Amino acid sequence: MRYTKNDIRNIPLTEFMAALGEKPVKAFGDMKLYYAPQRDDPEPMLVVDTNTNRWYDHATDQSGDIIDLAALKMNPNLYTDPRDFILKYMNEYEQSKELSAMARRPQEPIVISLDIRKVKLTDFMKALGQEHPVAADGNLRIYNAPYDDKLGPTMVINIETNLWRDTKSGAYGGIYDLAYELTGSCNMSELNRYIASEMSALDKTKDKEQKIEPPKLEPEPDKPKRRMRL
């Protein structure tokens, strides 16, 4: 699972505390008592109400929701929006849980014959459903960002370096970085499988198009030759 800003209000505070590395010390019905994250209190002072999904800090007499807590705990030199802070920790936490679950689950080895590092990003974009770029400028090809819900033409591919950059978010990289933006997974096996499956679907479409041949025209019957009259 990958959280977006639309999910933030529904994230349980207990999950956010777990993502911050904090476990409840005690529980009293709907109340869970924590050590305040990023603070060295001798006693647990932060109470989370799982019923209302709000918190109260006995040390500072402050209270609020998940965004208020993130605003207090984030480093303002690294984050300007507490929602970005929440998404970073929650998505990393979810990824770690997925990786742990995968490690416990036996998997059959997957053989991928495709050399993914040599896949052209423009071909990968075709596989994702964007047959042509929105615009072109020299070596640059501009696409709608496939991982952005608003689908703005902010993704730029350099066809010489085979790298991309998003002019809105600042994200950039190669094909694996793009696959991460689309899947939210940091697992190389999952990324390889995802890219290979998308490219395989594109290859199958090409094969079908090549197999469809134009109908053959039947040859016209030979016209009877005129005989010369003597």
Side-chain angles (χ1 to χ4, degrees), residues 146-163:
Y147 43 80
D148 191 338
D149 295 337
K150 296 180 181 178
L151 285 177
T154 60
M155 181 179 161
V156 181
I157 292 176
N158 187 321
I159 59 175
E160 279 196 355
T161 62
N162 204 35
L163 297 174

Side-chain angles (χ1 to χ4, degrees), residues 114-130:
L114 179 67
D115 189 348
I116 290 176
R117 294 188 183 277
K118 292 183 179 179
V119 172
K120 293 180 180 179
L121 280 172
T122 50
D123 287 340
F124 189 46
M125 291 300 291
K126 289 180 182 178
L128 295 174
Q130 297 194 47

Side-chain angles (χ1 to χ4, degrees), residues 50-227:
T50 58
N51 186 36
T52 62
N53 205 34
R54 294 181 64 84
W55 58 273
Y56 174 76
D57 192 336
H58 284 283
T60 61
D61 200 29
Q62 292 177 299
S63 63
D65 59 12
I66 187 171
I67 294 179
D68 299 315
L69 183 60
L72 288 174
K73 304 310 173 186
M74 72 183 190
N75 185 339
N77 295 324
L78 298 176
Y79 300 93
T80 57
D81 188 342
R83 294 176 298 175
D84 293 332
F85 177 80
I86 295 168
L87 292 179
K88 176 184 182 298
Y89 276 87
M90 288 305 304
N91 284 326
E92 288 182 353
Y93 177 61
E94 287 297 321
Q95 288 165 19
S96 67
K97 290 198 298 184
E98 290 172 4
L99 291 175
S100 298
M102 288 181 63
R104 293 192 297 268
R105 186 171 62 246
Q107 294 183 337
E108 296 181 1
I110 299 173
V111 179
I112 297 176
S113 58
L114 179 67
D115 189 348
I116 290 176
R117 294 188 183 277
K118 292 183 179 179
V119 172
K120 293 180 180 179
L121 280 172
T122 50
D123 287 340
F124 189 46
M125 291 300 291
K126 289 180 182 178
L128 295 174
Q130 297 194 47
E131 184 70 21
H132 302 289
V134 175
D137 183 6
N139 298 327
L140 306 180
R141 302 291 182 269
I142 302 170
Y143 291 86
N144 288 320
Y147 43 80
D148 191 338
D149 295 337
K150 296 180 181 178
L151 285 177
T154 60
M155 181 179 161
V156 181
I157 292 176
N158 187 321
I159 59 175
E160 279 196 355
T161 62
N162 204 35
L163 297 174
W164 65 275
R165 175 179 290 276
D166 192 314
T167 57
K168 182 174 75 172
S169 68
Y172 65 94
I175 192 167
Y176 284 110
D177 302 288
L178 178 55
Y180 163 75
E181 292 292 333
L182 291 161
T183 64
S185 174
C186 294
N187 184 276
M188 287 298 291
S189 296
E190 289 185 3
L191 294 177
N192 283 331
R193 185 160 53 245
Y194 172 74
I195 296 169
S197 65
E198 294 294 331
M199 294 305 298
S200 174
L202 177 65
D203 291 339
K204 288 179 181 177
T205 303
K206 287 181 179 179
D207 290 342
K208 286 182 180 179
E209 291 175 352
Q210 291 174 357
K211 288 178 181 178
I212 299 175
E213 297 179 356
K216 294 181 179 180
L217 299 175
E218 294 184 2
E220 294 182 2
D222 293 336
K223 294 180 180 180
K225 295 181 180 179
R226 292 184 180 182
R227 293 182 179 180

Side-chain angles (χ1 to χ4, degrees), residues 28-47:
F28 308 93
D30 294 330
M31 305 294 180
K32 293 187 182 296
L33 189 61
Y34 292 85
Y35 283 99
Q38 300 178 2
R39 206 169 68 203
D40 296 327
D41 294 332
E43 299 291 336
M45 305 296 286
L46 189 75
V47 178

